[in-house]
Amino acid sequence: VSALARLYGLEEELSEVARRGSGSACRSMFGGFVQWQRGERPDGTDSLALQVAPETHWPELRVLVLVVRGWQGVWVGFGAREGRVPPSVCPQVSGEKKPVGSTAGMQTSVETSPLLKHRAEVVVPERLAQMMQHIRDRDFEGFGQLAMRDSNQFHATCLDTFPPIFYLTDLSRHIIALAHRYNAHHGHTKVAYTFDAGPNAVIFALADTVAEFVEVVRRSFPPATNGDQFVRGLPVGSAALSQELVAAVVTEPVPGAVQYILHTKPGPGPQLVDDPSQHLLGADGLPRSRA
């Protein structure tokens, strides 16, 4: 949407245009922290995205995407809409299709889940205001607690759908339990998880927590063959774990279950790239191979 608007010289509200193709896309028209407004008009023209804070607002915030085995898409962009999911905590790549697409699943939930109706009318408006305040205050404890609770309730609506939808896997629940053990050991919220319509975990943490938690994940899900490529994106330093931490948090390792970790942070919205080395396409016009 951004590229086509620039090509044709359009200056209208682009988040509303992007939303027609994907709700997630409207939020990606801005950088940093973005709110998707529900809107009230029948034609949806006031269902827009608004920036709550720029990416520079919370420089310590980091994001770890734990891409699990068998899932061929990535959480960023449209990856969660098409892909494959493992039937259990199984290190080999699964050949089974994702059983329910996110769009079809949401339509079924709207038709059959009383919990979703209550969530949309009562819970979400209150939580949205709370989340924006936590972001403005850079309150990680409140931010993390609310992110986890809201993720849990979203997947509760999936279970409340008839027939029920199962996006989380045994491995997803293993990661959830790991995060709670890690926080309990430290006595406060140092990491927070959220899951969309798929099994990949998105972990929020502050910069000074990343190295230790990545090592906890590495111990809990030892990489099978790609140890040097297990962590991608922003660099992550090394961390030594105390015996007490390992004993309290790392239980029953599952080798190879997490394919890799993508380490990133809030960034800007669509950018015009002038440096050819930053382009996704090579000189021949074809996509560059992933490093």
Side-chain angles (χ1 to χ4, degrees):
V1 169
S2 178
L4 288 173
R6 183 178 291 273
L7 177 65
Y8 289 107
L10 302 179
E11 297 182 355
E12 59 186 276
E13 173 53 64
L14 296 182
S15 72
E16 189 269 334
V17 177
R19 180 197 53 74
R20 300 186 190 193
S22 166
S24 300
C26 76
R27 296 174 297 186
S28 299
M29 299 305 297
F30 301 93
F33 304 86
V34 183
Q35 174 196 1
W36 176 13
Q37 291 189 320
R38 181 177 63 181
E40 301 295 339
R41 297 173 188 165
D43 61 1
T45 54
D46 60 343
S47 182
L48 308 172
L50 296 174
Q51 187 180 67
V52 176
E55 69 274 14
T56 56
H57 170 70
W58 202 347
E60 303 84 7
L61 188 65
R62 296 291 185 270
V63 183
L64 297 167
V65 184
L66 275 56
V67 180
V68 302
R69 279 289 178 187
W71 184 257
Q72 300 302 306
V74 180
W75 168 76
V76 178
F78 294 95
R81 297 192 179 276
E82 298 293 340
R84 304 185 182 279
V85 352
S88 62
V89 185
C90 188
Q92 70 266 23
V93 176
S94 169
E96 296 186 27
K97 289 270 301 177
K98 179 177 176 179
V100 180
S102 53
T103 300
M106 180 57 67
Q107 291 172 343
T108 304
S109 295
V110 168
E111 295 169 357
T112 65
S113 172
L115 177 57
L116 179 62
K117 179 178 175 61
H118 173 75
R119 172 173 163 77
E121 295 178 353
V122 179
V123 179
V124 169
E126 179 181 347
R127 285 185 172 176
L128 189 59
Q130 292 173 349
M131 181 58 81
M132 288 192 293
Q133 191 59 51
H134 292 322
I135 291 171
R136 292 190 182 102
D137 295 341
R138 295 190 289 271
D139 173 12
F140 188 81
E141 182 74 26
F143 171 86
Q145 287 277 333
L146 189 55
M148 291 186 287
R149 290 178 181 275
D150 202 64
S151 175
N152 293 345
Q153 191 182 82
F154 161 66
H155 288 280
T157 65
C158 295
L159 289 176
D160 191 48
T161 299
F162 193 81
I165 303 169
F166 305 99
Y167 288 124
L168 300 182
T169 65
D170 288 347
L171 177 53
S172 306
R173 290 182 281 273
H174 198 72
I175 295 171
I176 290 172
L178 176 68
H180 282 292
R181 289 197 303 272
Y182 183 78
N183 289 335
H185 174 78
H186 285 287
H188 63 100
T189 303
K190 288 179 70 70
V191 298
Y193 57 80
T194 185
F195 293 80
D196 62 4
N200 291 337
V202 178
I203 304 292
F204 297 108
L206 297 181
D208 59 6
T209 300
V210 168
E212 182 180 79
F213 188 72
V214 164
E215 184 59 28
V216 165
V217 174
R218 191 189 297 271
R219 299 277 191 97
S220 301
F221 310 103
T225 58
N226 64 336
D228 57 336
Q229 289 292 314
F230 188 60
V231 181
R232 308 176 187 183
L234 298 176
V236 176
S238 59
L241 305 184
S242 68
Q243 292 183 350
E244 293 78 11
L245 174 59
V246 173
V249 178
V250 181
T251 62
E252 300 180 8
V254 185
V258 173
Q259 188 173 0
Y260 63 89
I261 301 173
L262 176 63
H263 178 211
T264 184
K265 63 181 180 179
Q271 302 289 305
L272 177 63
V273 178
D274 295 318
D275 181 358
S277 68
Q278 299 298 312
H279 291 171
L280 298 178
L281 302 181
D284 57 1
L286 298 176
R288 295 177 185 269
S289 61
R290 291 189 300 175

